[in-house]
Amino acid sequence: MSLKKIAEMTGVSTSTVSRVLNNVSSTCASKEVRDKIFAAAREIGYQPNESARKLRNSADNTTAERHVSIVLARIKTLEADPFFYELFRELEIALFQNSILIDHIIYAEETLSQDVSKSNGVLILGRCSRKLFEQIMAASKNVIAIWRNSMDFDVDEVVCDGRNAAELAMRHLISLGHKNIAYIGDCSYESRYIGYCNSLIHNNIPINYDWIKQTDQTGESGSLAFRELLEQSNDFSAVFCANDITAISVLGELKEKRRQIKRKISVISIDNIEESQDTSPYLTTINIPRKEMAHMAVTLLLDRINKGHSENIRIEFPCRIVNRDSCYPFNENNERRPL
């Protein structure tokens, strides 16, 4: 039994393996245990469906086996970005549930380091360069891309618009009375930054470029950017962070400097990663529906493999606000005193 074999390989119970592979709950096992279980499942070619396993092991039906390659176009390791880590896990679960095996996992590069031509299809996670995309398309005609915004590429896409997510976050802050809103994130014509600027312009709020901090959207750069904001200005009342990791680092800085900072600063971000539920205060964020996006990507891939469609399809999922505790109504009488 595959679950038993994985349990033996990882030193956990079969029930834990089942809960992890069926995505029962993110709290059913630690991240380290989940990583071991998924790695073992890939190693043995785990397939949950009994008939699929029999088909795979039949000498007469080996051609029915399906394989895919996954290109993580924006990161060099899964640990580098919790959003893509969680999206990858949802994708892996969807592949397991459809009895699809993973040939290669390829990280951010300008050229393909693995031959994906023998895979039945390729899934791209995150925005990639045109050069890399053309190499992928030359190797496979069954390609599905999962990214925040539609790109001018000839490919099936599953998206959740980053600009819409940013505008939703900004509407929430503005509805609470905030006008002095800082931004921490990528500013290189990035959709979330565009959404931030558009929201200010739409609401006749001047853009203060001293409150805009370019980062690589890691926790370390987020902390540094927020410290610079505090040193340069006492006037902003809220911070919109481009992703949760940045926002979590900002909340950490606020907690560390709570005696110096004389009033509450609202913090909001995008992604709704698991860690955003464990912050203090709990982080208000915009949910990107990773599970649904992964499921739809696999559905589109299977349909294209089976020649169910030939025209490109773009499916856009809506985002929603997860209103927790890190945003507060603006109080004009509660002015910041000098640090």
Side-chain angles (χ1 to χ4, degrees):
M1 180 179 178
S2 293
L3 293 180
K4 184 177 180 180
K5 177 64 175 177
I6 295 171
E8 292 172 353
M9 294 170 67
T10 56
V12 300
S13 67
T14 55
S15 60
T16 296
V17 173
S18 178
R19 286 196 295 270
V20 169
L21 294 180
N22 287 289
N23 199 25
V24 173
S25 169
S26 62
T27 60
C28 66
S30 68
K31 178 180 178 297
E32 290 73 20
V33 168
R34 283 181 282 162
D35 286 347
K36 288 180 181 179
I37 289 172
F38 280 109
R42 287 196 302 272
E43 183 178 337
I44 68 171
Y46 168 73
Q47 292 182 325
N49 183 280
E50 185 64 32
S51 61
R53 284 198 296 272
K54 289 179 180 178
L55 183 65
R56 177 173 175 247
N57 293 328
S58 170
D60 297 330
N61 291 292
T62 54
T63 57
E65 189 174 283
R66 287 188 174 125
H67 298 252
V68 301
S69 292
I70 300 175
V71 177
L72 291 148
R74 296 202 68 179
I75 58 174
K76 295 182 178 180
T77 65
L78 280 173
E79 290 70 25
D81 190 311
F83 172 80
F84 281 106
Y85 171 88
E86 293 177 20
L87 177 58
F88 175 84
R89 286 290 176 245
E90 295 290 358
L91 187 61
E92 196 166 23
I93 290 167
L95 292 170
F96 287 151
Q97 291 172 343
N98 286 277
S99 301
I100 302 173
L101 305 179
I102 299 173
D103 280 338
H104 305 293
I105 300 171
I106 303 167
Y107 293 94
E109 297 169 349
E110 280 300 304
T111 59
L112 281 174
S113 58
Q114 302 284 345
D115 180 10
V116 301
S117 62
K118 295 181 181 180
S119 298
N120 296 106
V122 179
L123 293 152
I124 307 173
L125 274 64
R127 184 178 61 198
C128 70
S129 68
R130 183 170 289 277
K131 177 181 177 181
L132 178 58
F133 173 76
E134 289 175 350
Q135 292 175 7
I136 295 169
M137 290 299 294
S140 175
K141 300 305 179 186
N142 301 322
V143 179
I144 311 295
I146 311 175
W147 38 46
R148 281 191 174 90
N149 302 286
S150 180
M151 299 184 69
D152 186 25
F153 290 164
D154 186 21
V155 68
D156 289 343
E157 299 176 308
V158 179
V159 303
C160 185
D161 194 296
R163 187 179 70 178
N164 290 342
E167 290 175 352
L168 180 57
M170 291 292 288
R171 280 199 301 273
H172 182 64
L173 291 176
I174 292 170
S175 73
L176 293 173
H178 295 282
K179 293 184 178 180
N180 297 347
I181 304 170
Y183 171 86
I184 300 177
D186 186 0
C187 303
S188 57
Y189 202 70
E190 211 278 339
S191 60
R192 286 163 286 185
Y193 176 59
I194 294 171
Y196 164 80
C197 294
N198 285 350
S199 296
L200 294 177
I201 294 169
H202 179 74
N203 287 277
N204 297 314
I205 300 172
I207 298 175
N208 186 332
Y209 290 98
D210 291 336
W211 296 341
I212 297 172
K213 295 298 177 182
Q214 165 73 33
T215 72
D216 59 5
Q217 300 184 160
T218 62
E220 183 179 356
S221 63
S223 292
L224 178 60
F226 186 66
R227 289 196 293 268
E228 290 176 354
L229 277 172
L230 290 177
E231 292 172 359
Q232 294 173 1
S233 174
N234 297 332
D235 296 331
F236 62 91
S237 63
V239 181
F240 167 45
C241 299
N243 63 359
D244 284 355
I245 283 301
T246 300
I248 290 168
S249 69
V250 168
L251 290 178
E253 291 291 326
L254 284 169
K255 186 175 182 180
E256 182 179 333
K257 296 176 173 59
R258 59 186 179 273
R259 293 184 179 180
Q260 298 171 280
I261 301 172
K262 305 304 181 181
R263 65 184 173 96
K264 292 180 177 179
I265 296 177
S266 293
V267 179
I268 195 169
S269 59
I270 295 174
D271 283 343
N272 193 29
I273 61 174
E274 292 173 7
E275 194 177 345
S276 68
Q277 303 174 51
D278 299 322
T279 58
S280 179
Y282 298 134
L283 178 63
T284 296
T285 182
I286 306 301
N287 181 67
I288 305 298
R290 295 177 292 282
K291 180 178 181 179
E292 290 76 10
M293 293 173 73
H295 168 78
M296 186 53 63
V298 173
T299 300
L300 282 176
L301 180 63
L302 285 171
D303 192 62
R304 187 166 278 280
I305 290 172
N306 294 328
K307 302 188 185 305
H309 72 281
S310 57
E311 295 294 326
N312 291 333
I313 294 175
R314 180 173 67 86
I315 296 178
E316 181 175 339
F317 281 88
C319 53
R320 62 176 176 84
I321 191 165
V322 182
N323 195 358
R324 298 192 181 108
D325 303 325
S326 63
C327 293
Y328 322 98
F330 175 70
N331 183 350
E332 63 182 359
N333 295 319
N334 189 12
E335 296 293 340
R336 176 185 300 280
R337 295 194 294 269
L339 298 180

